[in-house]
Amino acid sequence: MKSKCFNRLITCFLFVCFSFLSSAQNENNKEEELYRPRIHFTPAAHWMNDPNGMVYYKGTYHLFFQYYPLSSVWGPMHWGHTTSTDLIHWKEQPIALYPDSLGYIFSGSMVVDKKNTSGFGKNGQPPLVAIFTHHDPKREKGFTDFQYQSLAYSNDEGKTWIKYAGNPVLKNPGIIDFRDPKVMWYEPKQKWIMTLATKDCITFYSSTDLKNWTKESEFGKNAGAHGGVWECPDLFPLNYNGKKIWVLIVSLNPGGPNGGSATQYFLGNFNGHEFVPSHSNIKWMDYGPDDYAGVTWSNTGNRKIFLGWMSNWDYATMVPTTTWRSALTLPRDLKLVQIENELFVASQPVPELMKIQSKPFLFSNINVYKNLNLTKKTGPLQIPIKFSLETNELKDVAFRFSNSMGEELLIGYNKNENNFFIDRSSSGKKDFHKNFAAKHTAPRLSKAHTIKMTLIVDASSVELFADDGLTVMTSVFFVNEKFTQLNLLAEENIRIKKLEYVTLKRSMPLFNQTK
Ligand code: FRU
């Protein structure tokens, strides 16, 4: 009798455990299905923030990232690693850099040291050299000089990493925020230039061997946006009509155009010693709330490919995913565009995206008045998806994604304000942070008569490239049920010259089935 009772108890206990585990598993599956990006990089599990050490080498794009492998909130930083041969399909690799006695591994960059200036190379092969910030969590309490710059190198194409025994290579002069080195080779002076975020400005350093650094100049105390601390800079030239224009990218947090984190840029001249801007207004890489700490790949020749972290420090640790947190934007090609007398950086999704496009639906010359149900014409909405719209009429127009729960995401153009917007205020889960539910706007910079909007929608993100990437907005959202319907809305009758609708094939693995 006693043992029968005991057996029943055990069975009950096992049943409760099993139900608990399977409901947790169901929740996980639901979350994977609703939020896990299909075409944007996200690690299989745990916390990620800034992209780091982006370098192209021997046919492979390397992408490292701020990573905490023990939790899905920020913690002691490592460098995670992923690789791709086409910028679209990513394969996660073993962790590259672990915290050590000098501290956590904060953001930084990577170079191919072609001339082996560092002496780290072996057998005539150039080493890959990572230049990153060591952040000492012990010194953080009570001192100001707890961030400094260090090196690590690889002689097997990024598979294994050795930290330089002489670290740190750039000591801290007493500046609390002293981090995120981006290093490039400056050919005319045959030296490396480090662009470093130093609290409220950028400091440039130079070196001939990556190990000894000399301060060159400072830039920015009285330029650009200063709503928060400056972080994650980048410096590179772009050609415009045969002229070399230097682009200086600076992320800042908070102080973005729609609140929280965002990335500004300056155009001007750099002579190996100092950067001189050619404008006094503020320019933003992306006006949306969710593109931060973006920088470009090194060693890609004249092509400049940018990618950022698709989140915002306001709520990054609170977004409603559990086993993983946050994704990166799509890689974007950068170029300069002139509007009247002013130059801007325009960003466009890399053309490699075409590889995962299916056959497009194309509509030409359609009239929209009030409400056009597009899914009636195309069948149920299948995300990920890309839309391109073109109209010769400057009138209000918006895409509305919705589901049967009445959740909706609106993306469009407002004629009176002459701005683009993404309204995620009723797009699903939003209570995790007071600033999340909002309508975000971005000015239209183009003066053209034709408005163009390209949208790329993944499970929990939308990227808007308006007017060939002159105005860009990135936003994340968290539906409670998948969007199934798409409508085009217009108060006044508007003629849409061209509307293209292309579903995209998943390029990231299904993690809950492979792990
Ligand atoms: C930017 C940032 C960097 C820093 C890293 C730490 O998001 O704050 O300045 O190196 O994140 O994870």
Side-chain angles (χ1 to χ4, degrees):
M1 183 65 187
K2 243 185 179 175
S3 88
K4 238 188 183 172
C5 249
F6 182 71
N7 281 348
R8 265 198 201 141
L9 258 174
I10 292 283
T11 318
C12 260
F13 176 71
L14 289 177
F15 179 75
V16 170
C17 286
F18 178 76
S19 315
F20 177 75
L21 284 177
S22 77
S23 85
Q25 182 60 37
N26 279 346
E27 272 307 300
N28 268 350
N29 285 347
K30 197 174 152 208
E31 180 188 307
E32 287 285 313
E33 190 50 29
L34 281 179
Y35 305 144
R36 175 79 79 172
R38 277 44 165 176
I39 58 167
H40 290 81
F41 176 74
T42 171
H46 302 134
W47 170 268
M48 169 178 70
N49 55 291
D50 315 354
N52 293 149
M54 290 146 66
V55 70
Y56 179 66
Y57 188 53
K58 294 199 175 167
T60 299
Y61 292 93
H62 291 266
L63 167 57
F64 300 81
F65 49 92
Q66 288 286 278
Y67 187 45
Y68 183 37
L70 297 181
S71 163
S72 42
V73 284
W74 192 91
M77 284 289 110
H78 299 53
W79 271 26
H81 184 197
T82 184
T83 53
S84 172
T85 52
D86 62 5
L87 294 164
I88 302 296
H89 298 85
W90 293 97
K91 191 162 185 294
E92 202 170 338
Q93 305 292 345
I95 291 175
L97 300 175
Y98 287 79
D100 55 41
S101 61
L102 292 176
Y104 303 162
I105 315 297
F106 271 21
S107 288
S109 54
M110 192 169 297
V111 294
V112 182
D113 183 9
K114 291 183 183 150
K115 299 185 180 180
N116 195 21
T117 61
S118 60
F120 294 145
K122 251 179 36 197
N123 309 327
Q125 289 295 311
L128 288 178
V129 183
I131 308 96
F132 60 90
T133 300
H134 257 127
H135 170 101
D136 184 346
K138 286 189 248 83
R139 258 193 106 68
E140 188 177 359
K141 299 179 185 85
F143 297 90
T144 50
D145 57 349
F146 51 87
Q147 295 184 336
Y148 24 76
Q149 320 317 319
S150 291
L151 306 178
Y153 59 93
S154 170
N155 281 314
D156 56 6
E157 295 174 33
K159 286 188 196 70
T160 58
W161 290 89
I162 302 166
K163 300 224 184 80
Y164 174 46
N167 282 342
V169 291
L170 178 58
K171 295 216 173 77
N172 188 311
I175 302 174
I176 290 183
D177 298 294
F178 188 72
R179 58 177 180 265
D180 310 337
K182 182 75 161 72
V183 174
M184 53 155 286
W185 179 249
Y186 186 75
E187 187 65 27
K189 292 201 175 157
Q190 294 289 296
K191 61 185 187 183
W192 299 102
I193 295 294
M194 179 195 290
T195 305
L196 194 69
T198 47
K199 196 175 170 207
D200 55 355
C201 66
I202 294 300
T203 306
F204 298 104
Y205 292 87
S206 68
S207 171
T208 50
D209 60 3
L210 293 167
K211 294 170 178 163
N212 297 288
W213 293 94
T214 308
K215 181 171 169 177
E216 292 285 341
S217 63
E218 285 179 9
F219 165 76
K221 276 211 161 77
N222 301 310
H226 281 277
V229 66
W230 282 23
E231 302 184 312
C232 299
D234 194 357
L235 174 75
F236 53 89
L238 282 179
N239 288 325
Y240 186 73
N241 284 346
K243 217 177 142 206
K244 198 180 251 189
I245 309 284
W246 286 82
V247 183
L248 174 62
I249 288 180
V250 178
S251 280
L252 97 156
N253 177 56
N258 277 296
S261 324
T263 304
Q264 61 182 323
Y265 68 92
F266 302 87
L267 300 177
N269 189 33
F270 181 72
N271 61 4
H273 168 63
E274 63 179 357
F275 177 83
V276 179
S278 56
H279 57 100
S280 56
N281 55 342
I282 297 169
K283 295 174 190 274
W284 299 100
M285 291 296 291
D286 185 318
Y287 285 84
D290 297 302
D291 178 4
Y292 191 58
V295 287
T296 60
W297 261 274
S298 70
N299 202 35
T300 51
N302 284 338
R303 186 176 179 194
K304 278 289 153 198
I305 314 161
F306 173 90
L307 162 146
W309 173 44
M310 206 151 51
S311 197
N312 188 312
W313 279 117
D314 271 1
Y315 45 72
T317 57
M318 298 164 212
V319 295
T321 59
T322 47
T323 58
W324 58 281
R325 253 208 197 90
S326 81
L328 302 176
T329 67
L330 282 178
R332 301 165 181 183
D333 273 321
L334 303 183
K335 70 166 187 199
L336 290 170
V337 174
Q338 187 170 335
I339 303 297
E340 293 176 341
N341 284 326
E342 199 178 346
L343 286 178
F344 293 92
V345 172
S347 328
Q348 289 272 48
V350 293
E352 283 86 343
L353 196 64
M354 302 272 277
K355 275 179 83 159
I356 55 167
Q357 284 191 189
S358 55
K359 223 173 133 245
F361 279 100
L362 197 66
F363 302 98
S364 335
N365 297 320
I366 49 172
N367 284 321
V368 182
Y369 178 54
K370 300 284 181 206
N371 188 338
L372 176 74
N373 184 337
L374 276 173
T375 21
K376 241 190 192 160
K377 295 184 188 289
T378 59
L381 192 63
Q382 276 181 29
I383 285 174
I385 199 155
K386 178 176 151 201
F387 292 95
S388 310
L389 174 149
E390 216 178 295
T391 173
N392 291 337
E393 297 181 336
L394 289 183
K395 289 181 182 170
D396 287 4
V397 61
F399 288 91
R400 183 180 69 201
F401 294 83
S402 59
N403 61 21
S404 68
M405 294 174 73
E407 294 171 346
E408 61 175 29
L409 178 72
L410 292 158
I411 301 132
Y413 171 71
N414 178 314
K415 176 189 155 196
N416 280 344
E417 309 287 334
N418 192 29
N419 66 18
F420 294 98
F421 62 86
I422 299 181
D423 186 348
R424 65 177 176 192
S425 45
S426 305
S427 63
K429 294 203 170 82
K430 55 187 181 190
D431 295 339
F432 50 88
H433 191 274
K434 63 176 183 6
N435 296 348
F436 187 80
K439 177 177 178 180
H440 299 117
T441 59
R444 178 166 198 248
L445 302 173
S446 170
K447 306 280 185 231
H449 290 298
T450 305
I451 292 196
K452 292 183 188 172
M453 286 197 267
T454 296
L455 296 186
I456 297 178
V457 184
D458 202 340
S460 53
S461 66
V462 55
E463 288 160 283
L464 165 65
F465 300 91
D467 299 321
D468 296 321
L470 252 179
T471 300
V472 179
M473 298 182 84
T474 302
S475 179
V476 296
F477 58 86
F478 299 95
V479 287
N480 284 300
E481 190 187 81
K482 277 187 189 178
F483 285 139
T484 47
Q485 197 165 312
L486 175 62
N487 295 60
L488 261 184
L489 311 179
E491 270 308 304
E492 268 181 85
N493 182 45
I494 181 170
R495 194 165 178 80
I496 307 293
K497 197 170 135 204
K498 213 174 106 190
L499 180 69
E500 199 184 79
Y501 174 128
V502 195
T503 55
L504 302 167
K505 295 186 203 102
R506 180 191 271 276
S507 62
M508 292 299 298
L510 272 166
F511 290 102
N512 58 352
Q513 290 181 8
T514 52
K515 290 266 154 185

